[in-house]
Amino acid sequence: MVVVKSVTIDGESIHVFRNGIYIFESSYGFTLELDLIVSEIVVKKYKTLENVIVEIELEDGRTINSIMHVKILTGGLPQINLFCELDDIHDYEGFTRVGENDAWFPNIEEGITIEEIRKIEMPNEDVSIKLNLPIDQVEWIKKHKKKSLNELFQKLIYEYWEKG
């Protein structure tokens, strides 16, 4: 069985939480498929791209360099599927082969949660809140920079959660 050691996309090493690499066999031919559980940050970064340059380092010392297509898998955990067509599968000894009619696919989501992923890479999202506050509080807010207000609200929310 082939095990992925590291993945680099467009020259940038990404944190991979789980992965499955295999050869997919269909009536159209063979493709090398790499399913990755990554952070929401990584999905957001690559979701608009069609093709990327990928370097896959395997634990047995082999390296695969290829231009691969990007597909974002929706559903449970943040996932990216990278794939490319293969002309010659003889260079891919030890890879699991999956047919288009097979019921088995690597289950890479098992044993990991979104909370564990977010402990490593927590995404930030912009949020707009409309409040009705006394004028003295509005004036106080306007005196502060966005960064310090972000820190204040994060701290307040976490403190409130702990009480809850």
Side-chain angles (χ1 to χ4, degrees):
M1 184 170 120
V2 176
V3 178
V4 173
K5 184 176 178 182
S6 67
V7 177
T8 303
I9 299 177
D10 288 341
E12 184 178 331
S13 182
I14 63 167
H15 188 96
V16 176
F17 293 90
R18 292 267 163 67
N19 68 77
I21 190 166
Y22 54 94
I23 295 173
F24 183 73
E25 183 178 356
S26 72
S27 56
Y28 298 107
F30 297 96
T31 56
L32 176 65
E33 305 266 343
L34 177 60
D35 295 337
L36 303 169
I37 300 282
V38 294
S39 70
E40 294 150 300
I41 295 168
V42 172
V43 166
K44 189 174 186 178
K45 182 174 185 172
Y46 296 106
K47 73 179 178 183
T48 59
L49 300 178
E50 290 182 24
N51 300 305
V52 291
I53 299 170
V54 179
E55 180 180 303
I56 305 165
E57 183 183 358
L58 304 175
E59 281 194 350
D60 64 11
R62 290 184 284 178
T63 302
I64 300 168
N65 292 294
S66 182
I67 295 173
M68 300 184 90
H69 304 285
V70 178
K71 183 169 48 174
I72 303 300
L73 303 178
T74 57
L77 298 174
Q79 288 188 55
I80 293 179
N81 169 260
L82 302 170
F83 62 96
C84 63
E85 293 179 15
L86 296 176
D87 294 326
D88 184 11
I89 64 167
H90 294 95
D91 294 335
Y92 297 90
E93 277 186 39
F95 282 70
T96 302
R97 286 175 61 169
V98 178
E100 65 184 336
N101 296 320
D102 291 353
W104 180 89
F105 276 91
N107 180 7
I108 59 174
E109 287 193 355
E110 192 173 304
I112 190 163
T113 64
I114 191 69
E115 290 79 17
E116 292 171 303
I117 293 170
R118 288 179 177 170
K119 284 179 187 175
I120 307 296
E121 287 187 324
M122 174 68 81
N124 286 326
E125 294 277 331
D126 286 332
V127 64
S128 297
I129 302 173
K130 295 232 179 225
L131 301 172
N132 186 354
L133 298 172
I135 189 70
D136 60 341
Q137 290 182 7
V138 172
E139 292 169 344
W140 183 87
I141 287 174
K142 287 181 178 181
K143 290 180 188 175
H144 291 81
K145 294 186 180 203
K146 183 178 179 179
K147 183 179 179 182
S148 65
L149 290 172
N150 283 338
E151 291 171 1
L152 171 68
F153 278 97
Q154 286 178 18
K155 183 178 177 184
L156 288 172
I157 290 169
Y158 282 127
E159 286 176 4
Y160 189 78
W161 277 353
E162 287 176 9
K163 291 179 186 176

